[in-house]
Amino acid sequence: MNEQTAPGRVGDVRRRNLSLVMDSIARTGDAKPSRAQLAAGTGLTKAAVSSLVADLVESGLVSEVGLYRDGERGRPGQGLELSARRGVVGMEINVDYLAVGLVDLGGNLRFHSTVESRNRGLAPEKVMERLGGLAAEAIAAAAAADISILGGGLAVPGLVDEQHNLVLSAPNLHWEHEKLNPQNLLEGAPLGVRLSNEANSAALGELWYGAGRPDFLYVSGEVGVGGGVIIGSELYTGPGGSAGELGHIVVHPDGPGCSCGGAGCLETFAGQEAIFEAAGIPEGSLGQRTELLLAALTAQEPRATQAVHDAGRYLGVALASSARLMDIEAVVLGGHFAVLAEWLRPSLISSLERYAPGLLDPSNLTVSTLEHSGTLLGAAGQVIRSVIESPFEFLLASKLA
Amino acid sequence: MNEQTAPGRVGDVRRRNLSLVMDSIARTGDAKPSRAQLAAGTGLTKAAVSSLVADLVESGLVSEVGLYRDGERGRPGQGLELSARRGVVGMEINVDYLAVGLVDLGGNLRFHSTVESRNRGLAPEKVMERLGGLAAEAIAAAAAADISILGGGLAVPGLVDEQHNLVLSAPNLHWEHEKLNPQNLLEGAPLGVRLSNEANSAALGELWYGAGRPDFLYVSGEVGVGGGVIIGSELYTGPGGSAGELGHIVVHPDGPGCSCGGAGCLETFAGQEAIFEAAGIPEGSLGQRTELLLAALTAQEPRATQAVHDAGRYLGVALASSARLMDIEAVVLGGHFAVLAEWLRPSLISSLERYAPGLLDPSNLTVSTLEHSGTLLGAAGQVIRSVIESPFEFLLASKLA
DNA sequence: ACAATTAGTTTTCAATCTGAACTATATGCG
DNA sequence: CGCATATAGTTCAGATTGAAAACTAATTGT
């Protein structure tokens, strides 16, 4: 008799309603709803909302922001928002850079800093040390703005074991089964630091703060081609945690071997390296090569044009297969696919039309609007989201302290 | 302020716990748990379980089945089971046959009948009329066994709109946007008749009564190649309801055109028709052709062997891509893939090893154990499951009646 | 100044769980 | 046979919490 569902206790109702109210405030965003509006929106009575909001305000998660005047007559309401004085630090380790940001509960990026850093092949301890310096900046920024840091999120370009703070495999960093200690980056943060995958975090960033919809596929074009699958407004990671490996979908059964051990993978046709090579861009830093490629495309050089055209075509094959299997009806392009979108779109769309006619409307094929902060926002957002989803646990913890 | 979550009311606790108890009884299955065991298993107190079980017994969903003696000492418990006197009729329309079964709440197939029927191109009304005859047999069998019919499930090989009883498209039946009236098949059944897709129902049948696990992909090889995606013990249908279209995953970008309008689809390599043709099996009824093919395979005729080998190879490509995208770690083969499994497996496994090495362990590649009743069980199971998941609503309805 | 209107609080009530005490029914040993 | 022991199931007081309705608070318009 394996039990997965906890019994319903009377107190669960309050847990759920605390979350419902917080979520409602979060979703209403800049509108700063009053208690009465929340009651109307949630279906709870005004009395219940008042009681719930009182708990949330007391814990510091929600704050009143002055009077709110909407209609012409009547007593004005107290506007409510997720506290701007509670924040989460989002952090990102990628192949060519490190980034840190401070996000308040309302999802506003209050501080942001990126530094170039060639992390490929570097020891994890070394990278974490550098990241620690950046994190200290975020901590200082928080102190200056009187923001108390609840926790942090750290995104890395690889498969992670969140429970044990392990990076199981990050081929582009040359990391394999590395133990990180992200908690050290933010000592004393009550919710700790949560490790996550870069493409997944970017997908969540789009969902919560960008172009996302309840169901979509985020395509991350960094050094590798990754993806994040959002189903019903939740990240789908699969039983083993490695879902969304769009880069290793087979797009041609007779294609070349791939670093993953497979063959004919999308990444061998549409990865950064594959495109640069096919376009005839010489070795160099990522920034340089990208500039050269964009220049070549602007100049309509045939090799570059063809390379991007092919990448789009094969990306179309992968998206067609994905749309069939998962009924994906919206796609958000990120990373280098966002940069190349202008040149990529025509062949991508015609490929989709050829392999999955009518399934994916081109208007649902959008480009990330968050640029470089998407991953950061997503990494921090996961911690913010956990507070929105179970504020009761947070209340408990803060009462004990 | 779009609201999706209903507010938590005090009464919700009971809803949830009624479901928890029913689910617990269902999962314990043949063990017929006592109230005390349920209390231990669910984490509820004995008092709460007693009260919940009383409601369920009163409504007829659960019945006491005599004393249960486990330990040596102490008062023996009353064994509980989902009532064997409440049933759901599972029905299936397929291209070459019609089938009906009677399933009791405990998931036991109490009556089963299949008839050959060439339904391709037949008007839906005609087919429904024939099906009505079979349904009458099930109703008679239920009456004879003193089983009261709560509802029914009807599976068809096509995309359905469950809300409006529409078959949006069933290409293999030559149906397009047909309105069915499945309610007429079981007049007076309180929960009505629920329309569903054949591959999805078969997948659910495997999940609840067969080889399924919490996460797996069911591959249905009927006239078309379909699939059912089970994630976290739930069917994933996608935002548009058409997820799992494994047959139209692109396995070769230069492949031939497909009936779906795309190109290079798996179905053009591994569909029944494609295999028969490649194997050189002449036209005829499905049964005849299958026998010829099996005979040819047993005789190791090269053409047939090669045809099945190729089908396995391309199925491997599709499964490799699926495993990457959705982190699928288990597959159940049904339909003609189950029949051909013996000859299909070698090339399928080597293809998986080539395109997604290490991802899908061959031991997690199993064959359906339910044979022809899987779809039926799944179609009925959806109604049974809805009762297990919200017995409160059922109690209400039965109190009004 | 007062009616009208909207925001938010207080009070009473019902639902339903927990926990503890209690009753019911079995086994085993002297 | 009778009583200790053990387990199943029931009863009842107590706590939590939202609904409903009445009430108080704050603002605008005439």
Side-chain angles (χ1 to χ4, degrees), chain B residues 51-74:
Chain B
S51 155
L52 292 161
V53 166
D55 277 9
L56 293 171
V57 168
E58 195 201 358
S59 74
L61 292 177
V62 165
S63 38
E64 298 192 324
V65 286
L67 295 186
Y68 173 95
R69 190 161 292 107
D70 187 16
E72 291 299 297
R73 277 150 96 121

Side-chain angles (χ1 to χ4, degrees), chain B residues 96-369:
Chain B
D96 307 295
Y97 62 91
L98 297 172
V100 165
L102 177 67
V103 187
D104 67 22
L105 284 190
N108 307 297
L109 188 59
R110 304 283 290 272
F111 168 82
H112 185 195
S113 176
T114 305
V115 296
E116 293 218 355
S117 169
R118 305 240 171 155
N119 298 318
R120 170 173 280 162
L122 233 58
E125 297 76 37
K126 196 79 192 165
V127 175
M128 290 297 278
E129 200 183 308
R130 287 192 193 167
L131 187 62
L134 269 190
E137 287 183 36
I139 293 169
D146 196 19
I147 294 173
S148 121
I149 293 176
L150 301 183
L154 169 58
V156 298
L159 184 64
V160 304
D161 174 350
E162 196 187 312
Q163 301 298 308
H164 304 96
N165 288 322
L166 290 175
V167 177
L168 298 177
S169 151
N172 293 321
L173 287 172
H174 298 175
W175 288 3
E176 198 72 29
H177 215 86
E178 309 285 355
K179 170 91 179 173
L180 302 186
N181 289 307
Q183 315 306 336
N184 298 345
L185 297 168
L186 296 178
E187 279 182 27
L191 299 180
V193 177
R194 176 184 301 205
L195 204 57
S196 63
N197 169 270
E198 171 258 324
N200 286 344
S201 287
L204 288 169
E206 292 294 333
L207 171 69
W208 292 319
Y209 309 115
R213 312 138 130 264
D215 301 86
F216 73 99
L217 177 66
Y218 176 83
V219 183
S220 144
E222 299 290 334
V223 170
V225 173
V229 182
I230 304 290
I231 295 175
S233 296
E234 296 199 359
L235 178 70
Y236 173 70
T237 57
S242 69
E245 283 285 7
L246 201 75
H248 301 285
I249 281 186
V250 182
V251 295
H252 200 306
D254 306 321
C258 175
S259 63
C260 73
C265 299
L266 173 63
E267 198 164 298
T268 65
F269 297 98
Q272 272 179 8
E273 191 56 41
I275 295 178
F276 286 142
E277 202 173 306
I281 308 290
E283 300 281 325
S285 84
L286 176 63
Q288 293 167 341
R289 299 183 93 185
T290 303
E291 269 182 46
L292 284 173
L293 178 60
L294 288 177
L297 287 168
T298 310
Q300 303 193 353
E301 284 184 18
R303 246 186 110 177
T305 308
Q306 185 65 40
V308 172
H309 176 95
D310 285 347
R313 178 174 174 233
Y314 285 112
L315 180 57
V317 172
L319 291 181
S321 290
S322 305
R324 294 294 195 178
L325 184 63
M326 300 197 67
D327 190 27
I328 283 161
E329 54 182 26
V331 173
V332 176
L333 299 177
H336 73 260
F337 292 123
V339 175
L340 298 176
E342 188 184 332
W343 296 275
L344 207 64
R345 258 183 94 91
S347 63
L348 172 54
I349 288 174
S350 77
S351 175
L352 277 170
E353 194 50 41
R354 171 160 176 211
Y355 294 109
L359 265 196
L360 246 165
D361 192 287
S363 67
N364 290 333
L365 203 67
T366 53
V367 170
S368 164
T369 52

Side-chain angles (χ1 to χ4, degrees), chain B residues 8-10 34-36 46-47 50 73-78:
Chain B
R9 303 221 172 73
V10 177
S34 65
R35 288 167 177 77
K46 287 190 296 177
S50 276
R73 277 150 96 121
R75 172 177 167 181
Q78 285 279 353

